[in-house]
Amino acid sequence: LKAREWKPGPLGINIGKNKDTPLERAVDDYVACVDALAPLGDYVVVNASSPNTPGLRKLQEPEALSALLLAVRERMDQVAPGTPLFLKIAPDLTPEAVDEVVDVAMARGLSGLIATNTTLTRPFEHQHSKEAGGLSGAPVRDLSNAVIRRAYQRGKGALPLIGVGGVFSAQDVYEKLRAGATVVQVYTGFIYEGPGMVDRILPELGALLARDGFASVRDVIGVDAR
Protein backbone atom coordinates (compact mmCIF):
# COMPACT_ATOMS: atom_id res chain seq x y z
CA LEU A 1 0.00 0.00 0.00
CA LYS A 2 2.84 2.39 0.78
CA ALA A 3 4.45 1.69 -2.57
CA ARG A 4 1.36 1.93 -4.76
CA GLU A 5 1.46 4.59 -7.43
CA TRP A 6 -2.03 4.20 -8.93
CA LYS A 7 -5.11 5.14 -6.94
CA PRO A 8 -8.30 4.24 -8.81
CA GLY A 9 -10.62 5.28 -6.00
CA PRO A 10 -11.08 5.52 -2.23
CA LEU A 11 -9.34 2.77 -0.28
CA GLY A 12 -11.22 1.27 2.66
CA ILE A 13 -9.35 -0.60 5.40
CA ASN A 14 -11.55 -3.37 6.87
CA ILE A 15 -10.19 -4.60 10.21
CA GLY A 16 -11.05 -7.51 12.48
CA LYS A 17 -9.55 -9.82 15.04
CA ASN A 18 -7.62 -12.99 14.27
CA LYS A 19 -9.64 -16.18 14.38
CA ASP A 20 -7.58 -17.62 17.24
CA THR A 21 -7.51 -14.45 19.38
CA PRO A 22 -9.72 -14.83 22.47
CA LEU A 23 -12.71 -12.51 22.41
CA GLU A 24 -11.55 -10.78 25.58
CA ARG A 25 -8.38 -9.70 23.74
CA ALA A 26 -10.10 -8.69 20.52
CA VAL A 27 -9.52 -4.98 21.09
CA ASP A 28 -5.74 -5.57 20.94
CA ASP A 29 -6.04 -6.95 17.41
CA TYR A 30 -8.20 -4.08 16.20
CA VAL A 31 -5.84 -1.49 17.64
CA ALA A 32 -2.83 -3.26 16.06
CA CYS A 33 -4.62 -3.13 12.70
CA VAL A 34 -5.27 0.57 13.16
CA ASP A 35 -1.60 1.21 13.91
CA ALA A 36 -0.45 -0.65 10.80
CA LEU A 37 -3.09 0.32 8.27
CA ALA A 38 -5.26 3.28 9.23
CA PRO A 39 -2.76 5.92 8.02
CA LEU A 40 -2.82 4.28 4.55
CA GLY A 41 -6.58 4.27 3.99
CA ASP A 42 -9.25 6.78 3.07
CA TYR A 43 -11.59 5.24 5.62
CA VAL A 44 -11.48 2.44 8.20
CA VAL A 45 -14.15 -0.18 8.87
CA VAL A 46 -14.49 -2.02 12.17
CA ASN A 47 -15.75 -5.43 11.10
CA ALA A 48 -17.58 -6.91 14.08
CA SER A 49 -19.82 -9.07 11.95
CA SER A 50 -17.78 -11.63 10.02
CA PRO A 51 -19.56 -15.00 10.34
CA ASN A 52 -16.29 -16.84 9.72
CA THR A 53 -14.65 -15.80 13.00
CA PRO A 54 -16.19 -17.77 15.88
CA GLY A 55 -17.90 -15.55 18.44
CA LEU A 56 -17.04 -12.31 16.66
CA ARG A 57 -20.64 -11.16 16.37
CA LYS A 58 -20.85 -10.98 20.18
CA LEU A 59 -18.85 -7.78 19.77
CA GLN A 60 -22.01 -6.17 18.37
CA GLU A 61 -23.60 -6.32 21.82
CA PRO A 62 -23.81 -2.79 23.26
CA GLU A 63 -21.28 -2.94 26.11
CA ALA A 64 -18.61 -4.80 24.12
CA LEU A 65 -19.22 -2.67 21.04
CA SER A 66 -18.97 0.58 22.94
CA ALA A 67 -15.63 -0.44 24.48
CA LEU A 68 -14.26 -1.62 21.12
CA LEU A 69 -15.26 1.53 19.25
CA LEU A 70 -13.88 3.74 22.01
CA ALA A 71 -10.48 2.03 21.81
CA VAL A 72 -10.39 2.18 18.02
CA ARG A 73 -11.58 5.79 17.93
CA GLU A 74 -8.92 6.88 20.41
CA ARG A 75 -6.13 5.17 18.47
CA MET A 76 -7.46 6.52 15.17
CA ASP A 77 -7.29 10.04 16.59
CA GLN A 78 -3.60 9.44 17.32
CA VAL A 79 -2.41 7.76 14.12
CA ALA A 80 -4.96 8.81 11.46
CA PRO A 81 -6.81 11.90 12.69
CA GLY A 82 -9.75 12.90 10.55
CA THR A 83 -10.02 9.53 8.77
CA PRO A 84 -13.67 8.39 8.67
CA LEU A 85 -14.53 5.35 10.81
CA PHE A 86 -17.37 2.97 9.95
CA LEU A 87 -18.82 -0.14 11.57
CA LYS A 88 -19.86 -3.15 9.49
CA ILE A 89 -22.84 -5.01 10.94
CA ALA A 90 -24.62 -8.31 10.34
CA PRO A 91 -27.92 -8.82 8.49
CA ASP A 92 -29.05 -11.25 11.19
CA LEU A 93 -29.53 -8.65 13.95
CA THR A 94 -32.99 -8.26 15.45
CA PRO A 95 -34.62 -4.83 14.95
CA GLU A 96 -33.95 -4.05 18.62
CA ALA A 97 -30.28 -4.99 18.23
CA VAL A 98 -30.02 -2.69 15.21
CA ASP A 99 -31.35 0.14 17.38
CA GLU A 100 -28.70 -0.57 20.02
CA VAL A 101 -25.91 -0.64 17.45
CA VAL A 102 -27.05 2.67 15.94
CA ASP A 103 -27.18 4.27 19.38
CA VAL A 104 -23.63 3.14 20.20
CA ALA A 105 -22.29 4.19 16.79
CA MET A 106 -23.74 7.67 17.17
CA ALA A 107 -22.54 7.99 20.76
CA ARG A 108 -19.00 7.08 19.67
CA GLY A 109 -19.04 9.57 16.81
CA LEU A 110 -18.73 7.12 13.96
CA SER A 111 -18.96 8.32 10.38
CA GLY A 112 -21.58 5.68 9.58
CA LEU A 113 -22.50 2.01 9.27
CA ILE A 114 -21.97 -0.55 6.54
CA ALA A 115 -25.10 -2.67 6.31
CA THR A 116 -24.64 -5.51 5.90
CA ASN A 117 -22.19 -8.38 6.04
CA THR A 118 -23.13 -11.90 4.92
CA THR A 119 -25.84 -13.99 6.59
CA LEU A 120 -25.72 -17.18 8.61
CA THR A 121 -29.32 -17.96 7.68
CA ARG A 122 -30.21 -20.21 4.75
CA PRO A 123 -33.51 -18.96 3.29
CA PHE A 124 -33.62 -21.74 0.69
CA GLU A 125 -32.92 -25.44 0.23
CA HIS A 126 -29.95 -26.48 -1.91
CA GLN A 127 -27.38 -29.26 -1.87
CA HIS A 128 -24.73 -26.78 -0.73
CA SER A 129 -26.89 -24.66 1.58
CA LYS A 130 -25.66 -26.33 4.75
CA GLU A 131 -22.02 -25.46 4.15
CA ALA A 132 -20.41 -23.33 6.84
CA GLY A 133 -19.75 -19.61 6.46
CA GLY A 134 -21.58 -16.48 5.46
CA LEU A 135 -23.99 -16.42 2.54
CA SER A 136 -23.82 -13.49 0.13
CA GLY A 137 -25.63 -12.58 -3.07
CA ALA A 138 -29.35 -12.41 -3.77
CA PRO A 139 -30.51 -14.29 -0.64
CA VAL A 140 -29.11 -11.55 1.63
CA ARG A 141 -30.80 -8.67 -0.25
CA ASP A 142 -34.03 -8.41 1.74
CA LEU A 143 -32.28 -8.96 5.08
CA SER A 144 -29.86 -6.17 4.27
CA ASN A 145 -32.62 -3.81 3.17
CA ALA A 146 -34.54 -4.41 6.40
CA VAL A 147 -31.47 -3.56 8.50
CA ILE A 148 -30.85 -0.42 6.43
CA ARG A 149 -34.44 0.77 6.92
CA ARG A 150 -34.30 0.15 10.65
CA ALA A 151 -30.93 1.86 11.04
CA TYR A 152 -32.10 4.85 9.01
CA GLN A 153 -35.20 5.18 11.17
CA ARG A 154 -33.28 4.85 14.44
CA GLY A 155 -30.68 7.38 13.35
CA LYS A 156 -33.38 9.67 11.91
CA GLY A 157 -31.34 9.91 8.74
CA ALA A 158 -28.39 11.51 10.55
CA LEU A 159 -26.10 8.45 10.44
CA PRO A 160 -24.77 7.74 6.93
CA LEU A 161 -25.32 4.17 5.76
CA ILE A 162 -23.40 2.22 3.16
CA GLY A 163 -25.84 -0.36 1.81
CA VAL A 164 -24.51 -3.69 0.59
CA GLY A 165 -25.91 -7.16 -0.02
CA GLY A 166 -27.49 -8.75 -3.08
CA VAL A 167 -26.92 -5.89 -5.51
CA PHE A 168 -27.01 -7.01 -9.14
CA SER A 169 -29.19 -4.42 -10.88
CA ALA A 170 -30.25 -0.78 -10.87
CA GLN A 171 -33.45 -1.85 -9.12
CA ASP A 172 -31.38 -3.39 -6.32
CA VAL A 173 -29.43 -0.14 -5.92
CA TYR A 174 -32.66 1.87 -6.02
CA GLU A 175 -34.22 -0.23 -3.24
CA LYS A 176 -31.22 0.29 -1.00
CA LEU A 177 -31.23 4.03 -1.56
CA ARG A 178 -34.96 4.19 -0.83
CA ALA A 179 -34.38 2.14 2.35
CA GLY A 180 -31.90 4.73 3.59
CA ALA A 181 -28.48 3.96 2.13
CA THR A 182 -26.34 6.97 1.26
CA VAL A 183 -23.86 4.87 -0.73
CA VAL A 184 -24.26 1.40 -2.26
CA GLN A 185 -21.50 -1.20 -2.48
CA VAL A 186 -21.38 -4.39 -4.54
CA TYR A 187 -19.34 -7.54 -4.08
CA THR A 188 -21.01 -10.76 -5.34
CA GLY A 189 -22.40 -8.99 -8.42
CA PHE A 190 -18.94 -7.53 -9.04
CA ILE A 191 -17.45 -11.04 -8.98
CA TYR A 192 -19.91 -12.27 -11.61
CA GLU A 193 -19.86 -9.24 -13.90
CA GLY A 194 -16.78 -7.15 -13.16
CA PRO A 195 -16.48 -3.36 -13.19
CA GLY A 196 -18.60 -3.08 -16.32
CA MET A 197 -21.68 -3.55 -14.15
CA VAL A 198 -21.33 0.04 -12.95
CA ASP A 199 -21.56 1.39 -16.49
CA ARG A 200 -24.68 -0.72 -17.01
CA ILE A 201 -26.36 0.22 -13.73
CA LEU A 202 -25.90 4.00 -13.70
CA PRO A 203 -28.05 4.86 -16.76
CA GLU A 204 -30.72 2.41 -15.59
CA LEU A 205 -30.68 4.01 -12.14
CA GLY A 206 -31.09 7.42 -13.73
CA ALA A 207 -34.14 6.15 -15.58
CA LEU A 208 -35.70 4.86 -12.35
CA LEU A 209 -35.16 8.21 -10.64
CA ALA A 210 -36.69 10.08 -13.56
CA ARG A 211 -39.65 7.72 -13.73
CA ASP A 212 -40.53 8.49 -10.12
CA GLY A 213 -39.89 12.21 -10.35
CA PHE A 214 -36.60 12.42 -8.47
CA ALA A 215 -33.93 14.80 -9.72
CA SER A 216 -30.99 13.07 -8.03
CA VAL A 217 -29.95 10.14 -5.86
CA ARG A 218 -29.88 12.42 -2.85
CA ASP A 219 -33.62 13.05 -3.17
CA VAL A 220 -34.54 9.38 -2.86
CA ILE A 221 -32.45 8.40 0.18
CA GLY A 222 -34.71 6.99 2.88
CA VAL A 223 -38.07 7.68 1.24
CA ASP A 224 -39.32 4.19 2.15
CA ALA A 225 -38.13 4.48 5.75
CA ARG A 226 -39.69 7.80 6.73
Side-chain angles (χ1 to χ4, degrees), residues 159-171:
L159 184 66
L161 305 172
I162 298 176
V164 56
V167 175
F168 294 89
S169 68
Q171 181 63 36

Side-chain angles (χ1 to χ4, degrees), residues 6 8 12 30 51-52 68-69 79 82 85 91 103 112 134 145 185 198 223:
W6 183 55
Y30 283 91
N52 303 311
L68 172 62
L69 295 179
V79 303
L85 178 63
D103 291 348
N145 291 350
Q185 285 183 341
V198 179
V223 296

